[in-house]
Amino acid sequence: MAAQVVLSPVTRIEGHLVVWTEVEPVRQSDGRIGHRIIQARCQGEMFRGFEVLLPGRDPLDAHQIVQRICGVCPISHGLASIKAQEAAYGIRPTRNGRRLQNLILAANLLQSHLLHFYQFVLPDYVDWDAARVACEKGALLAQSPGAGRAIAKLLACGHGAPPTSVSAGRAGRYRLDPVLNTTLAAHWAEALAMRRIAHEMAAIFGARMPHSTSLVPGGCTQSVTVERVESHRVRLERLRSFIDDIFLPDVVALARAFPEYWHLGGGYGHLLTYGSFDLDEAGEKLLGAGVIIGGRWEPLDIKAVTEEVRYTWVSSPSKLHPSQGRTQPESQKPDAYSWIKAPRYRGLPMEVGPLARWLVNYHSPLPSPAKPELEKLLAMVGMGPERLVSVWGRIVCRALEARLIARHAAQWLGELEPGRPSAQPFQVVRNGSGYGLVEAPRGALGHWLEIRDGKIHHYQCVVPTTWNCSPRDDAGQPGPVEKALEGLELADPQCPIEAGRVVRSFDPCLACAVH
Ligand code: NFE
Ligand code: MG
């Protein structure tokens, strides 16, 4: 008989996501009775209304206002808005301006990727109580003095325990050996310090974090000085050594300890990316744009994006392209179950995020730095590329990406030209339109803007978590996270940690999703 298992709240980040699942009993390989998820529904529980409050305002306020969609990925929203404005005003950033925009976005992305693995993923796998006990007893000090010292320091400085997962403390669900368990717990704390460094890097050129005040259409108002470049460089070097020596090895070690998650949480495998980090005026990207549908690479067609709303609490029409999209809240709509819209690409639910960026580039006919990096990683963990559409695939691609972006950030920093202009002069047009596509840490982000009589007339955002956590569409097709949960077995429905691990591998941010 089917029963319901509800995860709420699911995320350890902004916003409220509830996952409703229907489960049926199933006999597990060890003979015990577990439960299998038959179907899942993602519910975004709140309404934000940025698309409603922007019309009527000065277009130059847009990139400030939209950064408030999120404190975790504000730079992505700011840049999507700036790119939409640059298209409307007919300008491009200066060389310094483009590199500064890249560097601020890169710092924000590195901060976010560390946050995801250490603060959101680890509490699902690390037994924090065991780490604390090991540390208090001093039992591990002899085996791993570094880990023991880091934990002792952490407890002494009052950070306390990380937020517990829905299932933390349940015996038998954790299986890391004590040294690795304690080491990862210590890195949880070290990652907090690394994230502060990343925020400082973003603030050096972004003027403040979160919510930069220096980003403008055409570049950045912060000038390039030798002092700023050096101040950024020392921080980036520190961050790079943490990413190379600790982050990536930690991800691989955790994946080795829980190898079944290479086979769990896959879903459709339809992937979409707009391409990330502009390398030149012509629009060449570090990681290219594209989609994968049914295992095959295709070029991106931005006209194929629509948003469906049959199950969303809005009364506006369905299947509109975002340049025409509307957001009219309707909390009493029959059958609707989420404030999140359902973006679709040619009618298909698409997963976005680091996995999409890396696998699209891996299968792309064009050269990409993602190919050799992924090849090496897959050889190291002994998996084929087909295993990447999984919990570990998402997490491993995020770590590889952190390493690649940090490396390129060092190059962009070296290419800055002190004394040269960081921004392009421009005029706000009285009438015009444009859209801006960015890869946010969590995936493809688009802002569509129309200006009439010098004011914002129309503004729509289609956001990474809107794609991933979308509800069913008009045809009843589940969203990517809903699909990834289908068939997943839960050992104990009172403690659905397997479902938490799958959902959190997408790194959902609900404040962004409902914007
Ligand atoms: Ni609130 Fe965001 C990112 C964006 S996710 S974190 O990354 O855009 O939907
Ligand atoms: Mg929207």
Side-chain angles (χ1 to χ4, degrees), residues 275-491:
S276 58
F277 290 98
D278 294 343
L279 297 181
D280 60 23
E281 180 133 339
E284 179 76 14
K285 308 263 190 197
L286 176 60
L287 293 173
V291 298
I292 289 181
I293 296 173
R296 291 167 57 103
W297 181 92
E298 294 179 24
L300 172 77
D301 172 13
I302 195 65
K303 295 190 296 304
V305 174
T306 55
E307 288 194 297
E308 306 196 3
V309 298
R310 178 173 168 192
Y311 293 100
T312 306
W313 285 307
V314 295
S315 60
S316 19
S318 199
K319 300 192 178 182
L320 296 178
H321 185 264
S323 61
Q324 307 298 319
R326 302 240 303 277
T327 305
Q328 177 64 44
E330 169 52 69
S331 64
Q332 304 302 314
K333 182 172 168 180
D335 295 337
Y337 64 91
S338 180
W339 289 104
I340 305 174
K341 292 184 185 176
R344 293 294 184 262
Y345 182 85
R346 290 209 312 255
L348 293 172
M350 308 294 286
E351 175 176 342
V352 300
L355 170 66
R357 291 192 279 265
W358 281 66
L359 211 47
V360 164
N361 274 265
Y362 184 81
H363 289 300
S364 158
L366 306 168
S368 167
K371 292 183 194 190
E373 305 266 347
L374 259 182
E375 295 282 358
K376 261 186 272 168
L377 190 281
L378 288 168
M380 182 165 51
V381 296
M383 296 286 158
E386 72 288 351
R387 289 272 58 84
L388 288 168
V389 183
S390 66
V391 166
W392 289 132
R394 293 184 189 103
I395 293 171
V396 155
C397 287
R398 206 173 272 110
L400 285 178
E401 181 170 85
R403 187 173 64 178
L404 180 78
I405 300 303
R407 197 167 74 219
H408 281 269
Q411 186 188 326
W412 299 324
L413 194 63
E415 291 167 355
L416 286 173
E417 299 166 297
R420 304 281 301 161
S422 340
Q424 195 74 262
F426 64 91
Q427 290 281 322
V428 177
V429 290
R430 285 207 55 80
N431 295 290
S433 62
Y435 62 90
L437 306 179
V438 171
E439 282 290 326
R442 287 156 194 77
L445 169 68
H447 286 202
W448 279 259
L449 162 73
E450 187 183 341
I451 300 168
R452 282 197 200 166
D453 295 328
K455 300 281 185 204
I456 298 173
H457 176 72
H458 173 269
Y459 205 102
Q460 287 278 307
C461 316
V462 182
V463 181
T465 302
T466 318
W467 285 98
N468 287 337
C469 287
S470 75
R472 281 155 171 69
D473 54 33
D474 295 12
Q477 297 177 99
V481 169
E482 294 179 338
K483 185 71 176 176
L485 287 166
E486 285 180 9
L488 184 73
E489 290 186 11
L490 308 175

Side-chain angles (χ1 to χ4, degrees), residues 14 70 72-73 77 440-443 445 463-465 509 512-513:
E14 300 175 80
C70 187
V72 181
C73 68
H77 289 288
R442 287 156 194 77
L445 169 68
V463 181
T465 302
C509 172
C512 273

Side-chain angles (χ1 to χ4, degrees), residues 85-204:
Q85 290 181 62
E86 287 171 349
Y89 309 156
I91 56 160
R92 296 277 173 91
T94 59
R95 279 159 64 87
N96 270 350
R98 183 167 42 251
R99 287 171 189 137
L100 290 171
Q101 291 182 350
N102 278 354
L103 283 165
I104 300 168
L105 182 64
N108 192 203
L109 177 140
L110 296 176
Q111 180 281 131
S112 180
H113 281 10
L114 291 172
L115 171 71
H116 176 256
F117 182 70
Y118 286 100
Q119 273 72 47
F120 303 154
V121 168
L122 278 195
D124 283 338
Y125 301 89
V126 169
D127 184 342
W128 188 256
D129 292 336
R132 189 195 305 264
V133 168
C135 168
E136 282 167 359
K137 282 184 180 162
L140 280 173
L141 286 175
Q143 292 172 44
S144 178
R149 268 200 307 275
I151 279 282
K153 205 164 125 195
L154 161 70
L155 294 176
C157 74
H159 277 303
T164 48
S165 72
V166 278
S167 52
R170 307 289 177 113
R173 313 306 287 280
Y174 305 110
R175 67 169 89 119
L176 296 177
D177 82 68
V179 173
L180 181 59
N181 192 73
T182 310
T183 304
L184 289 175
H187 292 168
W188 175 92
E190 234 184 288
L192 294 174
M194 292 303 121
R195 290 179 46 226
R196 176 166 61 197
I197 290 174
H199 268 317
E200 288 168 356
M201 281 161 52
I204 288 167

Side-chain angles (χ1 to χ4, degrees), residues 18-84:
V18 183
V19 176
W20 304 83
T21 68
E22 205 176 288
V23 301
E24 62 182 6
V26 59
R27 189 172 293 279
Q28 296 188 299
S29 52
D30 60 5
R32 283 189 291 192
I33 297 293
H35 287 74
R36 180 191 292 133
I37 295 177
I38 307 165
Q39 55 165 320
R41 285 174 192 253
C42 286
Q43 178 177 50
E45 284 192 286
M46 61 183 181
F47 179 70
R48 305 284 307 287
F50 278 80
E51 292 158 334
V52 180
L53 64 83
L54 280 157
R57 293 176 191 267
D58 190 316
L60 283 179
D61 288 342
H63 51 279
Q64 285 305 324
I65 293 172
V66 295
Q67 286 191 70
R68 272 71 187 174
I69 289 173
C70 187
V72 181
C73 68
I75 302 304
S76 326
H77 289 288
L79 276 179
S81 182
I82 279 166
K83 283 169 179 285

